[in-house]
Amino acid sequence: MSILEVQNLTKKFGGITANQDVSMTVEKNSITAVIGPNGAGKTTYFNMITGVYQPTSGTILLNNEKLNGLKPHEVSKKGIARTFQNIRLFSEMSVLENVLVGMHTHIKAGLIGILFNLPAIRKEEKASEVKAYQLLEYVGLAPLLNEKACNLSYGAQRRLEIARALAAKPTVLLLDEPAAGMNPKETNELTQLIKKMRQEYNLTIILIEHDMKLVMEISEHIVVLDHGEKIAEGKPEHIRNNPKVIEAYLGSGAVQAG
Amino acid sequence: MKSLWKKYKQNKLVQGILLLIYISITSLSLFMAQKSVTAFLLLLSSLLLLYFTNFKNLTKWLIAGIVLVFLLPFTASNGDAYQSYMEVATLVGIYISMALGLNIVVGMAGLLDLGFIAFFAVGAYTYGIFATVQASNFMPFGTFPLSGESFWLFILIGCFVAALFGILLGIPVLRVKGDYLAIVTLGFGEIIRIIFNNLDRPVNITNGAMGIPSVTPPRLFGIDFLYPSQFYYIVLVILLFTIFTVRRFEHSKIGRSWKAVRENEIAAQAMGVPLVRTKLMAFAIGASFSGMMGVVFAAKQAFVDPTSFTLLESITILVMVILGGMGSVPGVILGAAVMTILNLQVLTEVTSWLNQLNSTGAFSIPDALSPSKMQRLIFGLLLILFALYRPKGLLPAKNHVYNEKELQEGSAKENKGKQEVMPDHSQIEKAQEV
Ligand SMILES: Nc1ncnc2c1ncn2[C@@H]1O[C@H](COP(=O)(O)OP(=O)(O)O)[C@@H](O)[C@H]1O
Ligand SMILES: [Mg+2]
């Protein structure tokens, strides 16, 4: 059963066409990878799905519901969460607070309740803190709960972004280059984490990644973009040997080097 | 020396004794002295000493309450300068409230606002117009001025009207960011002042540049509030309310969303934080503090005119926030207190001292260089010094420290709960065997 349906998505920035008629169907509880060389339009594609950019044309359907025209926070409410290629944490806030912001939609407290510090609000806040802490335990950052987010190591920041996204209780999770800047050991741990997350949180995951080992290991479906267009799509073993993909990804003449 | 300091930092008893001695000496000297600004200021700074003790929060609030409600007014009441001290204390309270309001907008939500005094003006005029005959110029019904009892209601009205203006300002302004936002808010502040300055024609609503005189004093149980020593208590109550409100918001969903928007708008939105709503809420709540104090200010001065609400006032409040520490509630309180006292007490004291020297002929200084006229220069210098040496302010903002042990226990408890609900496979197998 498909959960996300993207139809003919096009995005133009003035003269640049960042995405041209890109379509894809994402199966529920699957892991899909979007790959392609730098500047291919992958991040732009994510930005359109999450409402950061409005597509020039095309449709995005989540469970057959149109997402076009929604603001990013409304898309988040519909159940799509994401991480960012250039890490976007709330750097001056503590690690735990970062995760708590992720819970924003699920914390019911209103102006009056907060002002009068009603018992129900206090209880909700305490429960949220515990939940946030559990998410930190899940990604292995629990001992750093009171640390400022900007003081974390690169790999830890990436994991914090994942914990924060999980806090929003998404059904679809978009990861933009989650392994970028990680060493092989960290990448390996991340691979395991992604697999585990999909299982335990019943997630549908779409990820942009350059690390081909990771991509081939965990994805069931791969979409390849080049110059804003989809040049191939299919199972990993299918994509691995596609000459068009090899050429786009490595550039002509680089085939033997790879 | 260092070890002594360490011991002091750990020992509550020593801290308590020292604090007690300090408060006794300063309040006694304030009581005995006929006119000693120093004693007055030293007694006030006992609150700073209190802030740095290790006492429980409730204890700190209790001690601060005793000092502010009883000790300070009582010991000051013995000298001739009683009302002038209370005037300073009242203004300190007013400025702290406003700085706390601006701190929400600038410090927490990260929206640089250079027209913040406009909301104070809105509050002041709201009461000023209806508590004088001014309102009868355009109101088709009712008799004006309203009685002094209405003042208490007007604190609430001022709060809401200012919040409304905050939202009205916010809606068009929030399309712009950073420097542009600063310029637009600056314009807004000036526009409000100029409107009040010119709203005497065709219908005389604000009496223009002449200002609105003889504002009805507040009245409670048949007593009129006329003196600073009386307004002091009104301000104290509102100030307490603002501090509690800010504290509540700061560590709640709302405060976190303000900070998230400040830190990264795109990530905040992706996490479900509605940008416009969050920013408008910051503007409205920040403005409402100013609005309430505006009402008090109008009643205290018994006179409202546009010159009280210039750009320099907006800048002064901003300087308080920056000096104290953007986003830090204790810092902003300290910053506002220091700036107000510097402005009202220290500069005027130094001026009168220099004048004395002048008259005795010991020393001559041109009038243009008198310290009270160099307020802007001094603010500027302070800002530069702080930007260079203490960019995060006197008491930098700190994140809430969560109790790790408590969270660990909470987490463990919940995990256990889950396991009990979902029996593991071995149990199911056993059940099947049976
Ligand atoms: N906001 C923008 N304005 C103008 N051009 C943009 C914008 N965002 C992306 N682009 C352009 O779109 C193209 C695709 O960028 P991007 O989606 O970031 O690629 P990728 O993530 O695949 O490396 C690039 O040429 C980039 O310069
Ligand atoms: Mg990218």
Side-chain angles (χ1 to χ4, degrees):
Chain A
M1 205 185 82
S2 85
I3 182 166
L4 184 72
E5 182 89 41
V6 184
Q7 296 162 348
N8 300 91
L9 220 51
T10 299
K11 180 70 189 177
K12 295 197 164 110
F13 295 108
I16 303 170
T17 305
N19 273 191
Q20 178 76 47
D21 281 325
V22 184
S23 301
M24 85 180 168
T25 303
V26 178
E27 294 299 314
K28 202 164 179 183
N29 211 3
S30 69
I31 296 180
T32 305
V34 176
I35 63 169
N38 275 326
K42 306 178 297 291
T43 300
T44 307
Y45 194 55
F46 270 20
N47 281 341
M48 283 190 284
I49 295 173
T50 52
V52 177
Y53 296 150
Q54 285 306 318
T56 312
S57 65
T59 324
I60 305 151
L61 298 169
L62 179 71
N63 290 319
N64 286 323
E65 197 183 340
K66 216 169 152 180
L67 295 185
N68 296 53
L70 293 188
K71 298 250 166 57
H73 74 267
E74 292 165 329
V75 174
S76 151
K77 270 191 197 135
K78 297 277 179 205
I80 300 186
R82 70 175 291 183
T83 66
F84 297 88
Q85 178 180 353
N86 45 343
I87 299 172
R88 288 179 181 274
L89 286 170
F90 309 122
S91 7
E92 287 294 313
M93 297 169 78
S94 71
V95 168
L96 191 83
E97 278 176 324
N98 267 271
V99 181
L100 281 168
V101 173
M103 292 180 173
H104 188 89
T105 313
H106 305 288
I107 298 178
K108 295 283 173 299
L111 207 64
I112 303 295
I114 292 171
L115 194 56
F116 293 104
N117 204 15
L118 302 176
I121 302 299
R122 269 203 307 262
K123 215 171 132 193
E124 185 191 32
E125 181 73 19
K126 281 270 169 256
S128 311
E129 285 167 14
V130 171
K131 264 186 215 143
Y133 186 77
Q134 286 181 317
L135 282 168
L136 289 181
E137 289 180 322
Y138 193 71
V139 299
L141 292 175
L144 299 169
L145 80 163
N146 283 318
E147 200 63 48
K148 266 191 194 171
C150 57
N151 294 341
L152 260 52
S153 74
Y154 203 75
Q157 291 195 1
R158 290 230 174 260
R159 273 179 290 150
L160 178 55
E161 268 209 333
I162 291 177
R164 186 179 67 175
L166 286 178
K169 294 191 194 157
T171 49
V172 178
L173 178 61
L174 309 185
L175 306 171
D176 196 343
E177 304 201 8
M182 283 188 175
N183 60 34
K185 182 171 163 277
E186 285 175 318
T187 307
N188 198 19
E189 283 167 6
L190 177 76
T191 312
Q192 301 317 317
L193 178 67
I194 294 176
K195 282 187 191 164
K196 200 170 95 172
M197 255 167 24
R198 183 248 301 255
Q199 201 81 59
E200 292 175 9
Y201 289 91
N202 201 14
L203 284 173
T204 306
I205 294 174
I206 309 173
L207 58 96
I208 297 174
E209 190 44 69
H210 286 303
D211 187 318
M212 281 309 131
K213 184 169 164 284
L214 187 154
V215 168
M216 294 299 164
E217 186 183 338
I218 59 177
S219 46
E220 281 120 25
H221 190 78
I222 298 178
V223 173
V224 190
L225 294 186
D226 188 28
H227 291 108
E229 290 182 53
K230 186 170 80 181
I231 57 165
E233 161 171 47
K235 289 199 161 61
E237 56 272 21
H238 193 80
I239 295 297
R240 198 198 308 260
N241 301 318
N242 187 327
K244 239 168 139 186
V245 175
I246 296 173
E247 187 180 320
Y249 218 82
L250 302 171
S252 46
V255 177
Q256 65 266 51
Chain B
M1 194 63 208
K2 246 191 183 147
S3 66
L4 218 64
W5 174 240
K6 237 185 200 158
K7 261 186 201 150
Y8 169 77
K9 267 176 101 174
Q10 282 159 0
N11 195 330
K12 274 193 210 177
L13 188 68
V14 178
Q15 288 175 351
I17 292 170
L18 267 176
L19 186 69
L20 194 69
I21 294 173
Y22 182 88
I23 293 180
S24 322
I25 291 177
T26 48
S27 43
L28 203 68
S29 52
L30 182 60
F31 189 73
M32 306 294 271
Q34 283 303 301
K35 191 179 174 202
S36 165
V37 191
T38 326
F40 174 71
L41 294 182
L42 286 177
L43 181 54
L44 259 187
S45 32
S46 69
L47 296 177
L48 193 61
L49 200 62
L50 176 67
Y51 173 75
F52 283 112
T53 57
N54 300 347
F55 299 157
K56 280 200 203 91
N57 263 341
L58 191 66
T59 322
K60 284 187 188 178
W61 279 107
L62 271 176
I63 298 176
I66 293 168
V67 170
L68 288 173
V69 174
F70 302 111
L71 215 54
L72 189 75
F74 174 71
T75 49
S77 68
N78 199 33
D80 322 326
Y82 178 43
Q83 291 303 342
S84 77
Y85 289 154
M86 286 294 117
E87 167 86 13
V88 172
T90 306
L91 280 172
V92 168
I94 290 179
Y95 276 111
I96 291 177
S97 263
M98 282 203 279
L100 284 173
L102 184 62
N103 183 45
I104 290 181
V105 181
V106 180
M108 294 188 193
L111 306 161
L112 186 50
D113 184 348
L114 290 181
F116 194 68
I117 200 69
F119 306 120
F120 187 57
V122 165
Y125 269 99
T126 306
Y127 185 63
I129 290 170
F130 289 95
T132 57
V133 288
Q134 204 60 35
S136 50
N137 292 340
F138 62 93
M139 288 292 286
F141 52 84
T143 50
F144 299 97
L146 294 175
S147 71
E149 270 105 2
S150 72
F151 170 83
W152 313 105
L153 184 61
F154 264 88
I155 293 179
L156 273 185
I157 296 175
C159 171
F160 284 113
V161 173
L164 192 70
F165 268 77
I167 291 171
L168 286 181
L169 158 75
I171 290 169
V173 151
L174 291 180
R175 297 185 169 278
V176 295
K177 280 183 201 165
D179 308 348
Y180 296 101
L181 179 67
I183 300 292
V184 176
T185 49
L186 186 152
F188 172 81
E190 287 297 277
I191 288 169
I192 292 276
R193 184 177 62 82
I194 292 167
I195 287 178
F196 284 139
N197 200 30
N198 291 299
L199 218 59
D200 51 348
R201 277 161 295 129
V203 185
N204 186 355
I205 298 177
T206 65
N207 208 22
M210 306 276 289
I212 305 174
S214 27
V215 177
T216 316
R219 179 182 264 262
L220 188 66
F221 306 126
I223 302 167
D224 278 335
F225 283 63
L226 297 168
Y227 302 105
S229 55
Q230 294 165 306
F231 281 101
Y232 172 81
Y233 287 101
I234 302 177
V235 167
L236 202 58
V237 170
I238 300 180
L239 178 61
L240 222 68
F241 169 78
T242 35
I243 294 176
F244 271 110
T245 310
V246 175
R247 277 292 192 201
R248 286 272 155 80
F249 283 133
E250 194 187 6
H251 302 300
S252 73
K253 171 188 174 184
I254 295 177
R256 282 193 299 266
S257 64
W258 285 334
K259 288 186 218 162
V261 164
R262 175 192 70 194
E263 295 294 312
N264 200 313
E265 276 189 13
I266 291 180
Q269 280 177 293
M271 291 299 113
V273 175
L275 202 58
V276 174
R277 218 183 110 98
T278 304
K279 287 185 180 180
L280 284 184
M281 211 179 314
F283 265 116
I285 294 173
S288 66
F289 296 169
S290 265
M292 284 192 275
M293 283 307 188
V295 172
V296 178
F297 182 74
K300 185 178 82 66
Q301 304 295 97
F303 177 72
V304 191
D305 82 330
T307 58
S308 316
F309 313 112
T310 56
L311 177 61
L312 183 64
E313 289 292 319
S314 289
I315 305 250
T316 307
I317 302 171
L318 187 62
V319 172
M320 292 170 178
V321 174
I322 295 173
L323 229 63
M326 288 231 250
S328 150
V329 173
V332 167
I333 294 175
L334 180 64
V338 167
M339 286 291 291
T340 315
I341 289 168
L342 186 72
N343 220 347
L344 292 173
Q345 277 290 338
V346 180
L347 288 188
T348 48
E349 282 295 313
V350 175
T351 308
S352 69
W353 179 68
L354 282 178
N355 282 345
Q356 262 175 21
L357 283 184
N358 247 349
S359 57
T360 54
F363 188 79
S364 146
I365 193 161
D367 191 43
L369 286 184
S370 93
S372 53
K373 289 194 176 155
M374 293 198 295
Q375 190 196 8
R376 286 176 217 212
L377 179 74
I378 292 171
F379 285 7
L381 279 177
L382 272 176
L383 266 187
I384 293 173
L385 283 177
F386 269 76
L388 286 176
Y389 298 107
R390 222 180 150 86
K392 293 199 164 168
L394 288 170
L395 303 173
K398 272 189 262 170
N399 282 325
H400 180 69
V401 178
Y402 293 91
N403 185 338
E404 188 171 1
K405 245 201 184 131
E406 211 179 282
L407 290 175
Q408 245 164 11
E409 279 161 18
S411 159
K413 214 175 184 179
E414 220 167 84
N415 284 339
K416 221 170 117 197
K418 258 186 217 148
Q419 276 166 9
E420 272 160 23
V421 175
M422 294 186 294
D424 56 34
H425 290 291
S426 60
Q427 275 172 331
I428 295 176
E429 276 160 23
K430 262 184 211 153
Q432 280 169 343
E433 276 173 20
V434 173

